């Protein structure tokens, strides 16, 4: 009886293993041929032509009677008086059609500076393209061709549904080979390279020069990314490619199609991430959100947002860090009224903000405030601090009405030095209140100690740029 039970158990285990293997086999495509055949007519090769300016450098001087005189005369006749004439330079890239009336997506760097843009379709015909708009911030561009017949196109997919490990397929014009397919998986999501709005899908599908601007497909034939960059020591694919997510790309392309330019939402604040010590100094239960360091003239100031506020949610979505907030604001319509939840003085408050347009508001600068100061110096928290004087304003190139405390020395073995404070930094706030004298700062320190704080949050400005720094308080 026991032997029979043993074999039944072994048989059940074998069946489970077989089912697991079968399920895994079903999730792995046997071929990408059907998908490639489905999307190929909508993928295009792009050839750009650019005129390279003639050199203004003088040509070679050949002595009269030289045996080379006739040779150089012929050379100048063919190539102009300076030995050079304007020449045409060509570059290759990829793209994909997103509508039957001929809108085409590619990278900005593929068509940047081009005089002519020629689109080659999978069926073999070619059309000239018009540039509709570009967005250098996300390296995206929108083109338009005119065709007598409706064009095959591919739809956008939801990159937020893509998971690490999902199969993806790239298609494009690598190294000028044309309509080449490569496949791999999603290696990572949410990658940032250098841009403010970066949200890249990393993939090990082979991407090479010429693939730029081409589509990254999911297994349903939807575009989940625009192939943009590779990480490589030799210029060739080593399995680390990056595609701008459709979450970002679709929104940008819709704006380019409607307006010919981007129109991103603008909140009008300078912000930094909340660290553990900043959270303690501010009285936050957890280190998350975006800490407001400055509020220039703009939507945020009009709505009542203040320096020192921590933005915890925007339009009903929790804010984890500054990168997430910047992207969410940028993807919100200009003119939209949104609720912003801020943490201020130990309590939360909801404010209504009507967003402006970032492209119009980026040059805004904070207004200055005027106040009397009483010069003094003190050693505190590893810093030697001086009250503001006219002499210091002149030395630091500050405005005549600049206020705050000037850092005149930093102990190199101090926490302040480790956290980047340097001579010439201006401390304008402590514990989220303005400081204009040593007495002000001492008062903030004592108040923080009495409140049981382990650290003091300072607002420090350098070359006009503000940031918060939390310094640990000693026992007094």
């Amino acid at each position: 009886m026991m032997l029979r039970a043993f074999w039944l158990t072994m048989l059940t285990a074998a069946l489970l293993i077989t089912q697991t293997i079968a399920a895994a086999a079903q999730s792995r495509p046997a071929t990408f041929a059907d998908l490639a055949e489905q999307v190929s007519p909508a993928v295009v090769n792009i050839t750009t032509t650019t005129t390279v300016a003639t050199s203004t450098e003088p040509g070679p001087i050949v002595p009269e009677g030289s045996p080379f005189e006739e040779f150089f005369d012929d050379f100048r006749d063919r190539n102009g008086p300076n030995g050079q004439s304007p020449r045409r330079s060509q570059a290759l890239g990829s793209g994909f059609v997103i509508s039957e009336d001929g809108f085409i997506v590619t990278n900005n760097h593929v068509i940047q500076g081009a005089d002519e843009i020629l689109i080659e379709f999978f069926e073999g015909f070619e059309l000239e393209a018009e540039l509709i708009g570009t967005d250098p911030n996300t390296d995206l561009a929108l083109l338009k061709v005119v065709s007598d017949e409706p064009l095959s196109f591919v739809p956008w997919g939801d990159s937020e549904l893509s998971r690490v490990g999902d199969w993806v397929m790239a298609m494009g014009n690598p190294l000028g080979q044309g309509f080449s397919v490569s496949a791999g998986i999603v290696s990572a999501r949410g990658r940032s390279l250098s841009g403010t709005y970066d949200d890249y899908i990393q993939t090990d599908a082979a991407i090479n020069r010429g693939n730029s601007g081409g589509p990254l497909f999911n297994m349903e034939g939807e575009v989940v990314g625009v192939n943009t960059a590779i990480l490589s020591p030799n210029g060739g694919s080593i399995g680390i490619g990056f595609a701008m997510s459709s979450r970002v790309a679709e929104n940008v392309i819709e704006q380019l199609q409607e307006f010919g330019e981007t129109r991103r939402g603008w909140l009008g604040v300078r912000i930094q991430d909340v660290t553990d010590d900043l959270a303690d100094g501010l009285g936050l239960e957890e280190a998350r959100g975006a800490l407001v360091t400055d509020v220039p003239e703009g939507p945020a100031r009009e709505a009542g947002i203040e320096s020192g506020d921590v933005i915890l949610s925007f339009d009903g979505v929790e804010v984890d860090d500054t990168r997430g907030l910047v992207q969410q604001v940028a993807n919100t319509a200009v003119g939209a009224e949104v609720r912003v939840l801020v943490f201020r003085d130990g309590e939360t408050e909801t404010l209504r903000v009507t967003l402006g347009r970032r492209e119009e508001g980026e040059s805004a600068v904070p207004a200055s405030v005027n106040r009397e100061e009483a010069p003094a110096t003190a050693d505190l928290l590893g810093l030697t601090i001086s009250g503001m004087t006219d002499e210091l304003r002149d030395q630091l190139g500050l405005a005549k009405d600049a206020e705050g405390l000037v850092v005149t020395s930093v102990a190199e073995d101090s926490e302040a030095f480790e956290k980047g404070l340097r001579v010439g930094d201006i401390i304008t706030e402590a514990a989220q209140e303005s400081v204009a004298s040593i007495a002000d700062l001492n008062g903030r320190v004592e108040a923080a100690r009495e409140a049981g704080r382990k650290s003091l949050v300072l607002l420090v400005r350098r070359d006009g740029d503000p940031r918060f720094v939390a310094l640990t308080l000693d026992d007094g």
Side-chain angles (χ1 to χ4, degrees):
M1 190 70 178
M2 291 181 62
L3 184 61
R4 181 180 178 186
F6 170 77
W7 285 111
L8 284 173
T9 301
M10 293 297 292
L11 180 60
T12 301
L15 287 172
L16 288 173
I17 293 172
T18 302
Q19 291 173 353
T20 301
I21 294 174
Q26 288 176 355
S27 65
R28 182 172 63 248
T31 177
F32 288 87
D34 293 338
L35 178 58
E37 185 177 353
Q38 171 189 338
V39 301
S40 289
V43 181
V44 299
N45 294 339
I46 298 177
T47 303
T48 64
T49 305
T50 305
T51 301
V52 179
T54 302
S55 172
T56 58
E57 295 294 322
I61 299 175
V62 182
E64 186 175 351
S66 166
F68 296 103
E69 183 178 10
E70 183 177 350
F71 169 78
F72 279 108
D73 286 343
D74 290 341
F75 180 80
R76 279 193 292 266
D77 289 342
R78 291 194 307 270
N79 298 286
N82 293 325
Q84 293 186 20
S85 61
R87 58 187 179 86
R88 308 287 275 173
S89 173
Q90 287 191 329
L92 302 174
S94 307
F96 55 97
V97 184
I98 59 169
S99 66
E100 65 178 13
D101 58 345
F103 283 100
I104 296 172
V105 175
T106 187
N107 280 145
N108 176 56
H109 75 260
V110 169
I111 52 81
Q112 190 171 21
D115 300 318
E116 296 177 3
I117 304 172
L118 188 65
I119 308 298
E120 179 188 359
F121 291 82
F122 185 75
E123 293 88 343
F125 64 94
E126 297 180 341
L127 295 172
E128 288 191 11
E130 172 193 2
L131 177 61
I132 301 300
T134 66
D135 179 35
N137 287 315
T138 55
D139 197 12
L140 293 170
L142 182 65
L143 311 175
K144 178 72 166 61
V145 296
V146 177
S147 173
D148 295 333
E149 301 292 334
L151 296 174
S152 298
F153 65 94
V154 286
W156 293 104
D158 187 352
S159 56
E160 294 297 285
L161 300 179
S162 296
R163 300 179 303 163
V164 173
D166 280 350
W167 286 102
V168 286
M169 186 183 79
M171 188 171 183
N173 188 20
L175 304 175
Q177 296 306 299
F179 304 106
S180 178
V181 173
S182 60
I185 62 169
V186 174
S187 303
R189 285 186 44 192
R191 293 298 200 200
S192 178
L193 298 182
S194 60
T196 303
Y197 311 107
D198 285 1
D199 181 21
Y200 285 103
I201 295 174
Q202 181 185 328
T203 179
D204 65 350
I207 295 174
N208 288 285
R209 293 176 182 175
N211 271 118
S212 291
L216 185 71
F217 291 105
N218 62 19
M219 297 310 294
E220 284 70 48
E222 300 168 330
V223 179
V224 293
V226 182
N227 300 322
T228 302
I230 61 173
L231 185 61
S232 171
N234 54 23
S237 174
I238 59 171
I240 306 177
F242 300 92
M244 182 61 73
S245 72
S246 62
R247 182 185 71 84
V248 172
E250 185 176 9
N251 183 51
V252 169
I253 295 302
E254 285 178 355
Q255 291 184 20
L256 295 180
Q257 188 169 350
E258 183 174 358
F259 307 113
E261 59 185 358
T262 56
R263 297 188 177 183
R264 294 185 169 94
W266 177 55
L267 184 58
V269 291
R270 291 183 178 180
I271 52 178
Q272 70 179 72
D273 288 333
V274 179
T275 59
D276 290 334
D277 51 359
L278 282 172
D280 176 76
L282 295 169
L284 281 168
E285 293 183 359
E286 58 179 331
R288 75 169 187 87
L291 176 56
V292 178
T293 63
D294 202 2
V295 189
E297 292 288 346
R301 175 177 286 190
E302 293 173 5
I305 293 178
E306 301 175 358
S307 175
D309 287 350
V310 180
I311 299 175
L312 298 177
S313 76
F314 177 88
D315 200 18
V317 178
E318 287 194 355
V319 174
D320 292 323
D321 52 30
T322 56
R323 180 167 173 252
L325 178 61
V326 168
Q327 292 184 354
Q328 190 181 356
V329 172
N331 288 329
T332 305
V334 175
E337 184 182 78
V338 298
R339 294 175 181 269
V340 178
L341 179 67
V342 301
F343 178 86
R344 179 189 300 168
D345 298 330
E347 298 179 350
T348 58
E349 182 178 352
T350 299
L351 304 172
R352 291 179 177 270
V353 184
T354 300
L355 298 185
R357 183 184 172 197
R358 183 179 181 89
E359 290 81 358
E360 295 175 351
E362 286 180 326
S363 60
V365 295
S368 60
V369 182
N370 195 15
R371 180 193 268 182
E372 290 283 328
E373 303 93 355
T377 60
D379 293 325
L380 192 66
L381 304 175
L383 304 169
T384 300
I385 302 169
S386 171
M388 188 68 72
T389 66
D390 289 338
E391 183 180 0
L392 285 172
R393 290 189 185 94
D394 290 339
Q395 290 177 1
L396 298 172
L398 302 175
K400 293 181 179 180
D401 56 0
E403 65 170 6
L405 302 174
V406 180
V407 176
T408 59
S409 178
V410 186
E412 294 190 5
D413 60 349
S414 68
E415 180 190 21
F417 188 87
E418 291 178 0
K419 291 190 173 179
L421 271 75
R422 296 295 184 266
V423 172
D425 287 349
I426 313 299
I427 300 172
T428 58
E429 290 184 12
Q432 298 179 276
E433 294 187 39
S434 298
V435 289
S437 67
I438 301 299
D440 286 345
L441 181 57
N442 281 328
R444 306 292 180 266
V445 170
E446 292 307 316
R449 286 194 179 116
E450 291 175 3
R453 299 272 187 248
K454 296 180 181 178
S455 57
L456 180 71
V457 177
L458 304 177
L459 179 59
V460 181
R461 293 180 183 272
R462 181 184 300 167
D463 298 327
D465 292 326
R467 70 185 181 102
F468 283 101
V469 178
L471 297 182
T472 303
L473 292 173
D474 55 33
D475 294 332

